[in-house]
Amino acid sequence: MNILAINSGSSSIKFELFDMHTSAPLASGLSESIGEPTSQQSYRLYKSDGSYDELSETIALKNHEDGVRRIAQWLVESKAIKDSSELVGIGHRVVHGGAEFSQPTRINTDVMAAIRQLIPLAPLHNPANLRGIEVTLAEWPDIPQVAVFDTAFHHTIPAYAHHYALPANLAREQKIRRYGFHGTSHQFVSTALARLLDKPPNEINSIVLHLGNGASVTAVRGGQSIDTSMGMTPLEGLMMGTRCGDIDPGVILHLLQSTDLSASEVDSTLNKKSGLKGICGANDMREVLRRVNEGDQQALLAVEMYAYRIKKYIGAYSAVLPHVDAIVFTAGIGEHSPEIRARACADLEHLGIHLDSQRNVHVSSDSCAIHADNSRIKIFVIPTNEELEIAKQTLHCLREADSTTTGRSS
Ligand code: ADP
């Protein structure tokens, strides 16, 4: 029972094929620089023990159509599948589901039209996601396809937390509200936490820190998102690789009124030239930390700011949750940087947060606990797996649809 998860970007397509009986990956790949003369493709073909063979090729892929066609060919050539009849469904990552989509949704022309309508809310992402859906449908017209939205997990955020204090009519007209992102990751990790604690998700409250190039934090109450740091766009919240995160909106007005930067230049400044990169010139946390070790004061400031912002959100979300069972670190920085985890959790003992310095540096590739034995709040590192979450939600959506059409309840 195989499901293919697809994440289509503006010039890339990422895919992963899962056997849903075991949740094990069978194959994965990335096609980059689509539309350029030398598009790079890299693939992994997994063995039953979890190890994999890695392959790469350079084939000019003119467009996404070529990209998906090549993936379809490779899956058969590599014997990952015999033919497309072995696929029970395909799940697509769609960044913005607006207020419309609170669940993974079986794709049809109406759903595609609705995703198109949401392009103004995600002008960079939704068109690329939609393109991926169109070409995948053309390649595999008989395989059911499902859209899995980054925003969907945050639909449970109550009105008082998702509204901005703007004129209500204007906000309604312009669809301005907190939507939140990284939902598949926050959902995957909070479900994994419940398994780890051996409790049903609805009995657990957590603060989930997704720290990758983009970064967001979610307050999860009883398995549901009740607040998250990213807002109408992924610009709000934590300091990120190249995004500024929380900022006084007056700064934006000042830039527009007092400099000769255009609106799109301000956009690019806030999204691409700020964050770690803006403060110290590097956006890759490994490089930033290397510079800190060499005594670079700007890099140190960047790291201090980064950790301080995380700490402020831990404090804020400790206040909005009735109690906190666990804090979870995930994604590139969250999973791999003991230094950032230590800085983010430092001096929070008064909140019941005690990191164990030894456990923090000896983290395995699996989920593990890094809190001290006397810590009231548990602290975990849990690797995220957004592709597997997309595949799981796709299967769930298709089963629900089946049970509805056959009149059974699942
Ligand atoms: P994306 O948001 O693109 O999926 P990732 O989740 O892969 O990003 O996270 C990328 C970030 O993780 C980069 O800033 C990278 O420097 C950081 N990172 C990866 N490994 C380490 C490490 N060992 N120490 C510190 N940072 C790391």
Side-chain angles (χ1 to χ4, degrees), residues 20 125 209 231 274 296 389:
M20 299 310 290
H125 293 103
L209 293 153
S274 297
D296 180 330
E389 183 64 30

Side-chain angles (χ1 to χ4, degrees), residues 115-126:
I115 296 171
R116 192 166 292 113
Q117 292 253 307
L118 293 167
I119 286 176
L121 291 176
L124 297 180
H125 293 103
N126 273 27

Side-chain angles (χ1 to χ4, degrees), residues 1-4 17-18 20 84-91 106 142-146 391 394-395 398:
M1 192 178 42
N2 300 336
I3 298 258
L4 183 65
L17 177 70
F18 294 95
M20 299 310 290
S84 63
S85 69
E86 290 192 0
L87 294 177
V88 298
I90 299 177
R106 175 83 183 258
D142 300 328
I143 299 171
Q145 314 217 5
V146 171
T394 299
L395 186 62
L398 296 175

Side-chain angles (χ1 to χ4, degrees), residues 210-214 283-286 289 331-333 336-337 386:
H210 175 110
L211 309 177
N213 279 316
N283 61 292
D284 186 310
M285 186 56 93
R286 284 164 293 200
L289 291 169
I333 297 170
H336 301 295
S337 179
E386 288 165 282

Side-chain angles (χ1 to χ4, degrees), residues 210-230:
H210 175 110
L211 309 177
N213 279 316
S216 66
V217 46
T218 296
V220 183
R221 180 178 181 169
Q224 297 192 327
S225 170
I226 59 156
D227 203 352
T228 193
S229 59
M230 283 180 167

Side-chain angles (χ1 to χ4, degrees), residues 16-35:
E16 190 150 356
L17 177 70
F18 294 95
D19 174 353
M20 299 310 290
H21 288 301
T22 58
S23 299
L26 299 174
S28 65
L30 172 67
S31 302
E32 289 177 289
S33 313
I34 294 174

